[in-house]
Amino acid sequence: MNMASPDIEKRPLVVEKEELMPRSVKKARKRRVLLSVLWLFASLFVTGFVFHGLGIPSCRRSDVHEQFSPINSTSNGKYAHQVEGLETTKPVTLGLLKSQPEERQIQSSVTTSSAAAERTVLRNFEVAPPVLMPYGPADSDGTTPIPAGSTQKACNVLLMRHDFAFSYGDPYIGDYTPPSCKFNRVVMNFTVVSEGRQYDRLALMYLGDTEVWRTSTAEPVVPPGIRWEYLKDMTEYLSLWQQKQKIIFDLGNLVSDKYTGIFNTTLTATFFYTNVAANAAPPSDLIIPISARQSANNAVSQFTLPAQNATNTISNFPRNARRAVFSISANGQGNEEFWWSNLLQSDVNAFSDTVGELPGYSPFREVQVLIDGQLAGVYWPFPVIFTGGVVPSLHRPIAGIEAFDLKEHEIDITTWLAVLTDGKPHEFTIRIAGINDTQSSSSSGHTAVLTDHVNESWYVTGKIFIWTGTGNSHFTGGSNNNKKPTIDGLTPLISLSSIRTPSSTGNNSSNSTTTPESITYITSVKRSLRVRSPLGVWTQTLSYTNKGLVSAQGYNQLNDMLISGSESSSTSGYETSYTYPLLANSSYSVSPQGNMSIWGHLIQGKTLTLSGAAVFPDYDTVAFNGNGKTPKYRESRMETKKEGEAWYEQSGDGKNSTGSGDSRQVFRFAGGLAEAKGGNEAEEELYFRDVEARSGRVVRDVKRLGGKDVVVTGGGYQSAAAVMTGDDDAGVFGGVPTSGGEGGVKRGGGAMRMFLGRNRF
């Protein structure tokens, strides 16, 4: 068991690459070196013997050198037969993505030469805003070098070094002791290497009973495997970092003779002090977890819905609280991983004769926070698509938005403080709602209503960030103080439609009369929630639309979704607005021999504007504000769009897989100036990235940091071969679980969702 210890405070944050290399890789390299030496001596012996027997003189050393010298070597040291390094192009804007053709011919990079170049580690990454390090802003993927001459005044602590193999129900447990240096900011570095074949896995990190981070893994490839790194600002948990903690890191994984990937992880933290002004609220004085509270048993503290009741009763809420914010961490798994593609409940059995029963309760989800049984706020979740989602090759090497850093959502509950500070116990509940359109109504037949449960499963936790004042709260003791808030907008406006297209009359199959050819369905939800009390107002205005089409009797699916919202708190000045657009188009087929093929086209985006005292620093401009008490920027603005197209094939016995994909992401992060001239809106670009990958290789990467061009080199973005054949059980992709065991893909039993809703166990 590895423990975090102050004895290694001065350990460098950037761990040497050799230290992060899996042991299996090191052994494989040693074997390759030994075999190469033996092969060389054997070749020289045989060649000399043959030359001697034929009377052929050996060539001069200079001739040999000329034969193996680089062919037409370029000025940058690359060989002419190798792929050139990353190519810098002129900056582009988000609008250019719209001008790209909707369909693109994907070329697979099949390696046929027996003298193919040795594979190199594939580096995966997520595009995200920079974080503040002791030496200034740094790319979240860990590629920003420390400036020359920089003196880091920081403590670096190893929190975890652990290999996750057979780790379901067996999380890493470690002890954390605060470092001796002065600090007011904390940034974690999570670095992972893996090789072989494995699914993407979800990971949750806790300090005691409090979940502090949620991430997921990339899917590994054949040796020498993959590597990724992510920097995460953890300053909002400062009150926890200042005390001894039990670290619980849960990354459930299983290894077999087929799924061989072990995740070799290293987690470090940099603690430092800075006078840089932040837009976000100062770290809270107290954090109360809303979780299963199992750290005393060395177990994870997530709630699993709907199997469990995600409720905590808090009897020690501080009487001197002056502000409180509830944060939610939630995402679906199993039949809820791709909740945004689910069908209306009335249509779940429409394709049962061809692909089986499909997940239902509509493609809409709402995460609800209740205080003493009353609705306090909601969260319409961002549709995170993990690195094996839809088609695995969509996400190499560019991971999906939030795949490596699942964001939390905050709801200001300061309006409830008059109730919460009365010294009595209060219940906090997290609930997941979908839509049921099969409930009978005497007046109108069937009606659509929100449910209090959905399919299996959602992993949820919450926490309450509390800022306190001196003495008892001034919220208690008045004539209006024990009055509960008034809540407007308890019932959302729901609109549904579903149209079935009959199968062709020329279809002579036995199910042609009962199974429709396609279903077109539309889901629309609007909600305006307002929670008000004498202490302030919390407002949420949300809109959701999802236009879906399931065709080819259940084997093809298209979803065009848009979530938009705006939220504000009058007590803190917090304001945010956001959009989550998503278009997913996929087709799935299985041959009579069980061979399977998947094609997918995915467009996903996110825009966000944020101002005021936010809890989380994820979109704070702190890395660019400069020293001083007043931030340079009054708000942050982020917009990104990622588009990709990919295909995947797997043999009927599940032993061979092949795939390839192209993707491109444009990301822009800007700061709205605190003082715009002439009263006009003005902003400054703080970070820009336009990156494109083809067949697993980055072919273009344009970056600007703080308005300055960043020179991007090819190191670290090497490719892995996109296609492997034969009986190599390491494979290239994690593969697709089958219904009914290890061998073959069956028709029926949910075949169309077999990959999208794969069983992680």
Side-chain angles (χ1 to χ4, degrees):
M1 183 182 299
N2 295 329
M3 302 293 184
S5 169
D7 296 337
I8 50 175
E9 290 173 9
K10 298 182 179 180
R11 181 182 182 87
L13 179 61
V14 180
V15 185
E16 291 297 324
K17 182 177 180 181
E18 185 72 19
E19 293 182 275
L20 299 178
M21 194 176 295
R23 289 183 292 275
S24 57
V25 175
K26 297 177 183 177
K27 292 180 180 179
R29 286 191 172 183
K30 291 179 180 179
R31 288 195 299 269
R32 286 199 298 268
V33 172
L34 179 59
L35 291 174
S36 299
V37 172
L38 293 175
W39 177 86
L40 177 61
F41 278 112
S43 300
L44 291 175
F45 176 78
V46 173
T47 301
F49 179 80
V50 172
F51 279 18
H52 177 73
L54 297 176
I56 302 174
S58 60
C59 59
R60 301 188 310 273
R61 179 179 179 182
S62 58
D63 296 331
V64 175
H65 176 75
E66 290 174 8
Q67 292 177 37
F68 289 91
S69 62
I71 303 174
N72 298 327
S73 59
T74 62
S75 59
N76 60 3
K78 298 294 184 182
Y79 293 139
H81 64 272
Q82 293 180 324
V83 178
E84 290 292 325
L86 298 180
E87 183 178 336
T88 304
T89 62
K90 294 183 179 180
V92 298
T93 62
L94 286 171
L96 287 182
L97 281 178
K98 300 179 181 178
S99 65
Q100 300 299 311
E102 289 297 319
E103 302 294 335
R104 175 185 296 160
Q105 184 69 32
I106 305 294
Q107 298 293 334
S108 62
S109 57
V110 184
T111 302
T112 57
S113 172
S114 60
E118 182 180 359
R119 291 172 176 268
T120 53
V121 175
L122 173 67
R123 180 163 186 161
N124 281 58
F125 58 94
E126 178 187 332
V127 182
V131 299
L132 177 63
M133 294 297 287
Y135 48 84
D139 226 318
S140 63
D141 63 5
T143 58
T144 303
I146 299 176
S150 174
T151 57
Q152 294 192 49
K153 297 180 179 179
C155 295
N156 297 308
V157 176
L158 177 66
L159 302 177
M160 174 184 72
R161 180 175 283 124
H162 189 70
D163 299 343
F164 290 93
F166 300 93
S167 54
Y168 269 108
D170 186 21
Y172 166 85
I173 308 294
D175 294 322
Y176 161 76
T177 299
S180 58
C181 62
K182 181 180 179 181
F183 64 92
N184 64 356
R185 300 203 69 87
V186 184
V187 177
M188 290 196 318
N189 180 310
F190 186 53
T191 302
V192 186
V193 292
S194 183
E195 65 177 31
R197 198 178 199 187
Q198 193 54 265
Y199 301 121
D200 57 89
R201 304 294 191 180
L202 186 69
L204 283 74
M205 176 184 175
Y206 304 84
L207 294 180
D209 293 325
T210 305
E211 181 188 343
V212 295
W213 191 38
R214 187 171 296 201
T215 183
S216 71
T217 70
E219 287 197 347
V221 297
V222 295
I226 62 169
R227 179 183 188 273
W228 76 92
E229 186 174 353
Y230 194 83
L231 300 181
K232 173 68 174 176
D233 194 329
M234 303 289 285
T235 303
E236 67 269 27
Y237 301 110
L238 191 63
S239 62
L240 300 180
W241 292 115
Q242 292 171 339
Q243 307 173 39
K244 291 185 177 181
Q245 299 287 345
K246 177 184 288 187
I247 296 176
I248 300 178
F249 200 102
D250 180 41
L251 197 166
N253 191 32
L254 289 178
V255 175
S256 66
D257 59 347
K258 181 177 180 181
Y259 296 102
T260 58
I262 298 173
F263 295 102
N264 310 95
T265 67
T266 301
L267 181 67
T268 60
T270 298
F271 300 83
F272 62 101
Y273 187 87
T274 179
N275 291 319
V276 172
N279 299 78
S284 63
D285 301 299
L286 177 67
I287 301 173
I288 299 177
I290 305 299
S291 69
R293 296 174 177 254
Q294 292 296 308
S295 66
N297 301 320
N298 288 342
V300 299
S301 294
Q302 73 191 35
F303 289 116
T304 301
L305 300 180
Q308 296 177 292
N309 178 17
T311 298
N312 278 178
T313 299
I314 306 300
S315 57
N316 58 343
F317 203 95
R319 304 292 299 273
N320 62 338
R322 58 184 177 83
R323 187 192 178 201
V325 174
F326 193 104
S327 75
I328 306 167
S329 182
N331 74 278
Q333 297 282 273
N335 281 337
E336 288 291 298
E337 180 176 342
F338 298 89
W339 52 267
W340 45 266
S341 65
N342 285 13
L343 271 64
L344 301 182
Q345 191 64 19
S346 57
D347 291 329
V348 295
N349 292 309
F351 303 104
S352 58
D353 290 336
T354 53
V355 298
E357 181 180 348
L358 300 178
Y361 292 116
S362 85
F364 170 80
R365 292 295 179 267
E366 179 177 82
V367 186
Q368 302 173 342
V369 175
L370 295 89
I371 299 178
D372 295 334
Q374 290 190 303
L375 189 65
V378 298
Y379 166 44
W380 290 7
F382 179 82
V384 177
I385 299 177
F386 299 110
T387 58
V390 184
V391 183
S393 40
L394 281 168
H395 315 289
R396 290 184 180 157
I398 311 172
I401 303 170
E402 294 193 15
F404 289 166
D405 185 13
L406 283 72
K407 300 293 192 292
E408 298 193 31
H409 197 81
E410 54 188 88
I411 297 171
D412 198 308
I413 59 171
T414 305
T415 54
W416 292 81
L417 285 183
V419 176
L420 298 176
T421 58
D422 62 3
K424 300 176 182 179
H426 294 281
E427 281 190 351
F428 293 84
T429 300
I430 303 173
R431 194 165 64 190
I432 309 294
I435 298 175
N436 187 355
D437 66 328
T438 63
Q439 182 171 320
S440 298
S441 172
S442 57
S443 60
S444 59
H446 295 287
T447 184
V449 297
L450 286 183
T451 65
D452 59 2
H453 67 281
V454 290
N455 308 295
E456 297 281 353
S457 300
W458 279 77
Y459 295 166
V460 304
T461 68
K463 61 188 76 72
I464 308 171
F465 294 86
I466 301 173
W467 291 260
T468 59
T470 57
N472 286 338
S473 170
H474 59 278
F475 299 144
T476 60
S479 59
N480 294 322
N481 289 327
N482 291 323
K483 183 178 180 181
K484 293 183 179 180
T486 300
I487 306 171
D488 303 319
L490 286 172
T491 304
L493 178 63
I494 302 173
S495 176
L496 305 177
S497 69
S498 176
I499 301 175
R500 299 191 184 192
T501 302
S503 298
S504 171
T505 56
N507 189 342
N508 296 321
S509 64
S510 60
N511 56 39
S512 63
T513 59
T514 59
T515 302
E517 178 63 26
S518 65
I519 294 179
T520 302
Y521 61 106
I522 300 176
T523 307
S524 175
V525 185
K526 295 182 183 296
R527 184 193 275 280
S528 294
L529 183 67
R530 193 165 180 254
V531 182
R532 51 192 173 90
S533 76
L535 304 178
V537 181
W538 168 250
T539 303
Q540 294 182 275
T541 303
L542 307 169
S543 175
Y544 173 98
T545 58
N546 192 322
K547 301 175 183 178
L549 170 65
V550 179
S551 59
Q553 295 195 325
Y555 284 92
N556 298 345
Q557 184 160 5
L558 171 68
N559 286 93
D560 186 358
M561 185 189 76
L562 176 63
I563 297 175
S564 60
S566 61
E567 303 173 359
S568 64
S569 170
S570 66
T571 61
S572 64
Y574 169 83
E575 292 186 5
T576 185
S577 61
Y578 49 85
T579 62
Y580 307 151
L582 172 66
L583 188 146
N585 187 9
S586 62
S587 63
Y588 176 102
S589 64
V590 182
S591 71
Q593 295 77 27
N595 299 323
M596 183 194 62
S597 63
I598 303 175
W599 168 89
H601 180 207
L602 186 66
I603 304 175
Q604 186 171 26
K606 181 176 182 178
T607 68
L608 181 138
T609 300
L610 177 64
S611 63
V615 172
F616 297 97
D618 298 310
Y619 300 108
D620 195 351
T621 60
V622 62
F624 305 93
N625 280 336
N627 293 325
K629 296 182 179 180
T630 304
K632 180 179 180 181
Y633 305 98
R634 66 176 184 84
E635 70 177 21
S636 55
R637 303 166 187 172
M638 187 275 291
E639 57 179 337
T640 187
K641 182 178 181 181
K642 183 174 185 283
E643 179 173 3
E645 185 176 358
W647 58 272
Y648 173 92
E649 294 178 352
Q650 179 176 289
S651 59
D653 58 10
K655 292 183 178 180
N656 301 316
S657 62
T658 171
S660 181
D662 293 358
S663 63
R664 181 187 180 192
Q665 183 170 358
V666 178
F667 186 100
R668 186 175 186 272
F669 183 63
L673 292 173
E675 297 181 1
K677 295 181 180 180
N680 297 323
E681 287 291 323
E683 68 176 31
E684 289 183 355
E685 180 188 278
L686 305 178
Y687 180 74
F688 175 87
R689 189 169 186 180
D690 180 4
V691 58
E692 183 174 4
R694 298 193 178 186
S695 300
R697 178 186 292 275
V698 171
V699 297
R700 182 168 55 87
D701 196 353
V702 178
K703 283 187 187 181
R704 291 193 296 272
L705 183 63
K708 299 179 180 179
D709 292 336
V710 177
V711 177
V712 183
T713 61
Y717 296 113
Q718 300 90 348
S719 69
V723 177
M724 283 290 291
T725 58
D727 295 328
D728 181 4
D729 64 354
V732 171
F733 296 97
V736 180
T738 58
S739 57
E742 289 292 321
V745 178
K746 291 185 178 181
R747 288 181 177 270
M752 191 273 286
R753 293 288 298 214
M754 205 180 304
F755 184 72
L756 297 183
R758 58 197 178 283
N759 184 347
R760 294 182 176 278
F761 298 90

